[in-house]
């Protein structure tokens, strides 16, 4: 826009008013950017500052903008807490398993949906897509009964096989959001591949399945990374199922631990520790975002623009 | 690549014949393989979505309770009749729709502004794009705790800035304890967390608009506003629509941010928070299922509404 202003003013000669208007425009533009950056960054700054404050500075008025005696004691407390370490471990297992399961099941289906031709293809694709609009809360009550008594699926009764308070109680339900996304993005990925690749493999006598995992799957690596990351972040951050299908710290994941973080006394909320815990669980995500930002952006826009 | 991955070359002549003339046996084998490969996904969808949904509907027609030894009885639609008389549920539906409408509207306006700024090709836009992914990536639970602490009535930095630094307020306010301010405060947190996501979606839409159009516009003497109104907006409309649909459906099922910040107190309870409360705290499996099914119906109404909008847009 500013470039066009220069272009039109070129033959009339830059008048003083125009120049000033341009300068003010520039100034407002940068002010806007500063405001956006402040709004985005300040909460992070505040979380970090809070996590570094000793108790005396945490509960002080007026608020201390930078800790005079910065300390890592909150981090030490959080990291030495058994329940938090266990929650972190649980989250890694649950999110990792969700990714592997979604990719294994989803990539096979995506290949068939993207490359093969068979009856019912569209039905499967659109049912999968419709699942992205599915509110998790709508299936919470029935999943709750299924988790505690898996045989109800067959009309039976077997509370002794309950998966309540186990990783399974989260990993399987997490497929409701990770699988549709994986199938959708990877199907589009497979569709864009040149047909010659496949034909060459068929010429060489490969079966459809061999063609899939020996020829096409390696080529979808970027798509697998994208969908895997999004599934990981989704599972890492999920609260509703994790909160409802677990009971204690043996299975509870990070979001539940942080949402219900309680201090040593019921009278005081340990904000320093909560912020330290929040930063610890956010770091893996920020690292992933920084390394794979291009792939994440591609996945996000593919999911939305084509959806 | 293909040569490397196909280690056993077979006789060339018959293979060629098969590839040039796809016989009906080939189509048939595709049919079989296609079904074989999609079966795991179909099973998962039935297991974790379609069956649970059907079961929720069945349960909503009973008076089942969690942990109750007596067998549930079929009660017809009486749970749904109760639902329409349930003042808490009706209030929660209103609050949820208010939350969704205001937060999505704000996110759209702010997100569009940010997308336009980033799209104007200034230095450091790559950095800004990366920075914007961070609020999207962090757990909602974390962002809710961060803001809950900032909103703290005594030690919160927001009160400190408003009272001591800027002097806008005469005394600190308990934002999250106020029935009028708690929901707007939660909306502010949601806007903070998801505006960057909205901006990224819109940015993707902006980047496919050809620069030639703006050039042609400026030759014809269009002002900045005119080119925004007549070039950017119409061409961005599909991207805006998709982003708004996604965000609305997300906002209507809001749970995490409210659970952490107020647990639904002070007129902030959403439909999802209520559904979980009925199920877990009151142990009412039947009634809780009715609430859940109703939420599903309400969200599907929005889906249908939006799909009609998309159709109008296409015509």
């Amino acid at each position: 826009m500013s470039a066009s202003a220069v272009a039109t003013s070129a033959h009339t000669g830059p008048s003083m008013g125009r120049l000033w208007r341009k300068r003010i425009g520039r100034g407002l533009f940068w002010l806007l950017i500063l405001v956006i950056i402040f709004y985005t960054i300040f909460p992070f700054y505040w979380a970090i500052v809070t996590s570094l404050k000793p108790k005396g500075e945490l509960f002080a008025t007026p608020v201390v903008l930078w800790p005079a005696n910065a300390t890592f004691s909150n981090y030490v407390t959080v990291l030495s807490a058994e329940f938090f370490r266990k929650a972190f471990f649980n989250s890694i297992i649950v999110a990792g398993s969700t990714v592997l399961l979604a990719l294994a099941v989803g990539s096979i289906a995506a290949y068939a949906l993207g490359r093969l031709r068979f009856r019912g293809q569209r039905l499967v694709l659109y049912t999968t897509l419709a699942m992205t609009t599915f509110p998790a809360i709508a299936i919470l009550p029935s999943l709750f009964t299924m988790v505690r008594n898996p045989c109800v699926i067959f009309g039976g009764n077997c509370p002794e096989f309950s998966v309540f308070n186990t990783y399974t109680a989260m990993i399987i339900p997490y497929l409701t959001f990770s699988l549709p996304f994986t199938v959708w993005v990877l199907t589009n990925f497979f569709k864009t591949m040149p047909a010659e690749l496949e034909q060459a493999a068929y010429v060489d006598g490969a079966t459809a399945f061999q063609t899939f995992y020996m020829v096409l799957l390696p080529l979808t690596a970027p798509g697998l990374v994208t969908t895997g990351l999004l599934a990981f972040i989704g599972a890492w951050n999920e609260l509703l199922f994790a909160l409802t299908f677990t009971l204690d710290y043996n299975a509870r994941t990070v979001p539940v631990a942080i949402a219900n973080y309680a201090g040593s006394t019921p009278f005081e909320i340990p904000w320093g520790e909560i912020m330290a815990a929040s930063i610890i669980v956010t770091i893996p995500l920020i690292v992933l975002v920084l390394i794979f930002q291009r792939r994440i952006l591609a996945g996000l826009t593919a999911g939305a623009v084509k959806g | 690549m293909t040569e490397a991955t196909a280690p056993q070359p077979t006789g060339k002549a018959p293979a060629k014949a098969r590839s040039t003339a796809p016989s009906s046996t080939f189509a048939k084998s595709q049919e079989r393989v296609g079904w074989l490969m999609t079966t795991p996904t179909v099973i998962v969808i039935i297991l974790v979505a379609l069956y649970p949904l059907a079961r929720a509907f069945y349960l909503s027609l009973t008076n089942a309770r969690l942990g109750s030894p007596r067998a549930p009885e079929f009660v017809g639609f009486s749970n749904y009749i109760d639902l329409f008389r349930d003042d808490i549920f009706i209030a929660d539906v209103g609050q949820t729709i208010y939350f969704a409408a205001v937060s999505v509207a704000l996110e759209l306006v702010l997100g569009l502004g940010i997308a336009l700024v980033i799209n104007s090709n200034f230095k450091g836009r790559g950095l800004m794009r990366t920075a914007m992914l961070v609020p999207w990536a962090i757990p909602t639970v974390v962002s809710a705790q961060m803001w809950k602490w900032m909103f703290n009535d005594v030690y919160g930095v927001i009160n400190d800035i408003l009272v001591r630094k800027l002097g806008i307020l005469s005394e600190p306010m308990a934002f999250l304890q106020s029935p009028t301010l708690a929901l707007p405060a939660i909306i502010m947190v949601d806007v903070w967390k998801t505006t960057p996501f909205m901006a990224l979606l819109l940015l993707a839409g902006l980047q496919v608009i050809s620069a030639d159009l703006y050039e042609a516009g400026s030759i014809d003497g269009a002002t900045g506003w005119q080119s925004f109104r007549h070039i950017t907006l119409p061409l961005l409309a599909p991207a805006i629509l998709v982003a708004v649909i996604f965000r609305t459906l997300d906002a209507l099922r809001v749970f995490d941010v409210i659970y952490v910040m107020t647990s639904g107190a002070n007129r902030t309870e959403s439909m999802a928070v209520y559904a979980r409360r009925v199920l877990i705290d009151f142990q009412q499996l039947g009634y809780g299922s009715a609430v859940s099914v109703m939420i599903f119906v309400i969200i599907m109404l929005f889906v249908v509404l939006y799909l009609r909008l998309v159709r109008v847009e296409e015509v």
Side-chain angles (χ1 to χ4, degrees):
Chain A
M1 260 172 259
S2 55
S4 66
V6 173
T8 47
S9 63
H11 51 86
T12 54
S15 67
M16 278 307 275
R18 218 178 254 279
L19 199 68
W20 274 108
R21 204 190 292 169
K22 213 183 115 187
R23 276 189 192 164
I24 292 170
R26 279 262 107 178
L28 284 177
F29 176 79
W30 285 105
L31 187 72
L32 182 67
I33 290 182
L34 279 180
V35 170
I36 292 170
I37 290 174
F38 182 78
Y39 180 50
T40 312
I41 304 285
F42 184 79
F44 290 113
Y45 165 81
W46 198 243
I48 294 169
V49 165
T50 303
S51 73
L52 294 173
K53 280 181 180 173
K55 219 172 238 159
E57 293 182 30
L58 201 55
F59 301 107
T61 48
V63 164
V64 184
L65 287 176
W66 179 255
N69 307 297
T71 165
F72 282 101
S73 68
N74 289 317
Y75 288 89
V76 173
T77 312
V78 169
L79 288 174
S80 56
E82 172 76 22
F83 84 93
F84 184 78
R85 282 203 309 239
K86 186 79 171 103
F88 202 88
F89 176 78
N90 293 343
S91 273
I92 290 172
I93 302 285
V94 169
S97 311
T98 304
V99 170
L100 292 181
L101 200 58
L103 288 185
V105 174
S107 65
I108 300 174
Y111 169 74
L113 293 170
R115 304 293 319 184
L116 304 179
R117 202 154 290 285
F118 59 98
R119 253 172 293 155
Q121 191 166 18
R122 287 179 146 252
L123 181 73
V124 175
L125 190 61
Y126 288 121
T127 312
T128 316
L129 186 64
M131 269 178 70
T132 56
T133 63
F134 225 78
I137 191 72
I139 50 174
L140 190 78
S142 25
L143 278 182
F144 188 71
T145 62
M146 288 161 72
V147 159
R148 296 207 308 179
N149 189 359
C151 293
V152 295
I153 301 162
F154 314 108
N157 185 33
C158 58
E160 64 272 22
F161 292 115
S162 162
V163 291
F164 185 71
N165 205 30
T166 66
Y167 297 147
T168 316
M170 289 167 278
I171 294 167
I172 304 283
Y174 285 179
L175 289 173
T176 47
F177 60 84
S178 57
L179 187 62
F181 186 81
T182 305
V183 169
W184 186 249
V185 172
L186 289 181
T187 300
N188 284 325
F189 228 91
F190 279 118
K191 270 185 188 158
T192 58
M193 286 183 179
E196 286 80 18
L197 284 173
E198 228 166 355
Q199 281 161 0
Y202 283 137
V203 167
D204 290 339
T207 65
F209 197 72
Q210 282 172 328
T211 314
F212 160 66
Y213 78 85
M214 292 174 94
V215 182
L216 293 180
L217 193 62
L219 293 176
T220 55
L224 295 176
V225 171
T226 301
T227 49
L229 273 169
L230 294 178
F232 186 89
I233 293 173
W236 184 269
N237 296 352
E238 205 278 341
L239 175 69
L240 181 59
F241 287 162
L243 186 70
T244 311
F245 301 153
T246 62
L247 188 65
D248 58 35
Y249 78 107
N250 283 315
R252 289 205 146 165
T253 51
V254 154
V256 185
I258 290 184
N260 293 339
Y261 202 107
S264 43
T265 70
F267 308 109
E268 185 186 272
I269 301 172
W271 285 110
E273 287 169 40
I274 294 176
M275 290 303 121
S278 297
I279 286 162
I280 292 168
V281 307
T282 305
I283 286 170
L285 295 175
I286 292 185
V287 170
L288 285 179
V289 164
L290 290 182
I291 297 174
F292 295 107
Q293 49 148 321
R294 233 163 250 283
R295 297 256 44 94
I296 294 176
L297 276 171
L300 284 179
T301 45
V305 173
K306 285 172 188 163
Chain B
M1 167 107 6
T2 42
E3 278 163 13
T5 47
Q8 293 144 339
T10 50
K12 263 177 192 159
K16 208 169 237 169
R18 195 172 50 185
S19 71
T20 46
S23 60
S24 63
T25 50
F26 184 68
K28 225 173 241 169
S29 95
Q30 272 211 7
E31 180 93 27
R32 214 187 51 231
V33 174
W35 269 107
L36 207 65
M37 292 176 103
T38 40
T39 301
T41 294
V42 171
I43 290 176
V44 168
I45 292 176
I46 293 173
L47 186 73
V48 300
L50 301 182
Y51 173 77
L53 191 66
R55 188 173 161 76
F57 182 66
Y58 159 75
L59 288 170
S60 74
L61 303 178
T62 70
N63 62 1
R65 290 187 63 89
L66 289 175
S68 160
R70 71 171 166 75
E73 291 157 25
F74 185 78
V75 294
F77 284 90
S78 73
N79 282 327
Y80 290 93
I81 295 166
D82 290 345
L83 208 53
F84 283 105
R85 291 197 217 118
D86 185 339
D87 292 339
I88 300 174
F89 179 69
I90 290 167
D92 289 355
V93 171
Q95 282 151 15
T96 310
I97 292 176
Y98 171 77
F99 169 88
V102 177
S103 61
V104 173
L106 286 174
E107 283 156 30
L108 178 62
V109 172
L110 288 174
L112 190 57
I114 295 174
L116 286 170
V117 165
I118 293 185
N119 197 43
S120 66
N121 229 337
F122 74 100
K123 259 183 241 167
R125 70 186 238 187
L127 185 76
M128 189 124 163
R129 217 160 47 173
T130 309
M132 276 166 38
L133 272 176
V134 173
W136 165 81
I138 68 167
T140 307
V141 172
V142 164
S143 65
Q145 288 283 31
M146 278 161 53
W147 283 88
K148 190 180 179 182
W149 169 233
M150 285 169 45
F151 277 124
N152 189 286
D153 50 348
V154 186
Y155 308 107
V157 67
I158 292 175
N159 269 316
D160 188 71
I161 291 173
L162 291 179
V163 177
R164 290 189 196 85
K165 305 285 188 296
L166 299 178
I168 295 173
L169 295 179
S170 56
E171 56 184 63
M173 293 192 78
F175 293 99
L176 299 177
Q177 283 76 44
S178 147
T180 48
L181 292 177
L183 195 51
I186 289 175
I187 288 173
M188 194 174 156
V189 180
D190 190 71
V191 168
W192 176 81
K193 173 121 171 55
T194 40
T195 298
F197 176 73
M198 183 74 104
L200 288 171
L201 291 185
L202 297 178
L203 185 61
L206 279 177
Q207 281 170 341
V208 297
I209 300 177
S210 161
D212 297 351
L213 289 170
Y214 293 108
E215 214 158 286
S218 78
I219 288 170
D220 291 342
T223 62
W225 167 252
Q226 280 172 331
S227 68
F228 172 76
R229 173 72 191 77
H230 296 288
I231 300 173
T232 311
L233 265 191
L235 290 175
L236 198 60
I240 291 177
L241 200 62
V242 168
V244 166
I245 292 174
F246 267 67
R247 281 297 313 139
T248 312
L249 299 185
D250 242 18
L252 286 173
R253 48 193 170 196
V254 58
F255 176 82
D256 301 17
V257 64
I258 293 174
Y259 178 81
V260 172
M261 293 192 77
T262 59
S263 305
N266 305 317
R267 298 210 203 127
T268 60
E269 192 168 67
S270 69
M271 303 189 292
V273 174
Y274 183 61
R276 187 178 182 278
R277 191 154 67 97
V278 171
L279 178 72
I280 301 299
D281 298 355
F282 305 161
Q283 305 267 301
Q284 292 176 331
L285 182 57
Y287 192 58
S289 297
V291 174
S292 288
V293 170
M294 211 55 211
I295 296 173
F296 179 76
V297 169
I298 291 171
I299 290 182
M300 285 306 125
L301 282 178
F302 275 87
V303 172
V304 171
L305 195 81
Y306 276 133
L307 285 180
R308 295 195 74 160
L309 262 177
V310 173
R311 205 161 300 154
V312 169
E313 198 72 28
E314 276 169 358
V315 171

